[in-house]
Amino acid sequence: MNQANVEKLVKTLLEEIGEDPKREGLVRTPLRVAKTYETLTQGYHQEIDEVLNGAIFNEKYDEMVLVKNIDFYSMCEHHMLPFYGKVHVAYIPDGKIVGLSKIPRIVEVFSRRLQVQERMTQQISDTINKYLSPVGVAVVAEAFHMCMMMRGVEKQNSSATTSAMHGVFQEDARTRMEFLDLIAHKNL
């Protein structure tokens, strides 16, 4: 990202909405916005191989591994407004496990892009499936969308839930229900 170009665009935007970019409170706004967007879109510059950093291990564990309530923040690609919530990721290993901290890092890679929640959910699931070849993968994302809360229908209490399932989570209703029951329980 070219920070200087983004700063110019923000300055132009401020002028177009009727603001004075030279006003005391706005003088550094273009720089702050450029730095913010650098953070909010860092997922475009991250590679899954680097994020995983060799943290895939051979292990004979064959029960469900669940990391739930992973906070995420993303940007709606339609309005460039935030959506945020929690992601729950489960997989059943087939000889390979991944370091637990890598699962939130995978979520972060895909959430830090201009997104739609449906695609983000699928990308997380597909990535776990590709790198671990597990018996199954399940991902559920729950989010509030500022584009529905601040504009448009302006429904502050609405949320969206998406899911993506592979393998046994898609094929076996009991396994899927076990996952859904586990994510419904409160934290520790």
Side-chain angles (χ1 to χ4, degrees), residues 31 76 111 114 149 178:
L31 172 64
C76 162
S111 67
L114 297 180
M149 298 166 76
E178 179 184 355

Side-chain angles (χ1 to χ4, degrees), residues 31-141:
L31 172 64
R32 288 190 294 264
V33 171
K35 287 182 176 184
T36 298
Y37 271 87
E38 188 171 22
T39 299
L40 295 177
T41 61
Q42 68 189 11
Y44 288 119
H45 310 290
Q46 295 176 306
E47 298 295 329
I48 294 296
D49 289 330
E50 292 174 18
V51 168
L52 292 176
N53 194 26
I56 296 176
F57 308 101
N58 295 316
E59 191 65 47
K60 293 186 182 200
Y61 188 77
D62 63 359
E63 296 294 327
M64 189 182 308
V65 176
L66 169 63
V67 179
K68 67 181 191 174
N69 296 318
I70 302 166
D71 292 321
F72 79 91
Y73 299 90
S74 193
M75 296 286 286
C76 162
E77 69 181 35
H78 300 134
H79 303 97
M80 292 181 69
L81 288 171
F83 69 96
Y84 63 94
K86 297 193 180 298
V87 174
H88 316 286
V89 178
Y91 71 98
I92 298 175
D94 189 16
K96 289 191 253 179
I97 62 170
V98 65
L100 293 176
S101 71
K102 301 305 182 183
I103 293 173
R105 291 180 190 279
I106 290 168
V107 171
E108 189 80 357
V109 167
F110 294 112
S111 67
R112 293 298 182 153
R113 300 175 179 185
L114 297 180
Q115 273 290 16
V116 295
Q117 183 176 332
E118 298 88 342
R119 180 187 321 114
M120 181 188 78
T121 306
Q122 192 67 53
Q123 288 172 324
I124 295 163
S125 180
D126 289 348
T127 298
I128 299 287
N129 198 50
K130 175 183 173 182
Y131 281 85
L132 297 181
S133 300
V135 174
V137 178
V139 176
V140 168

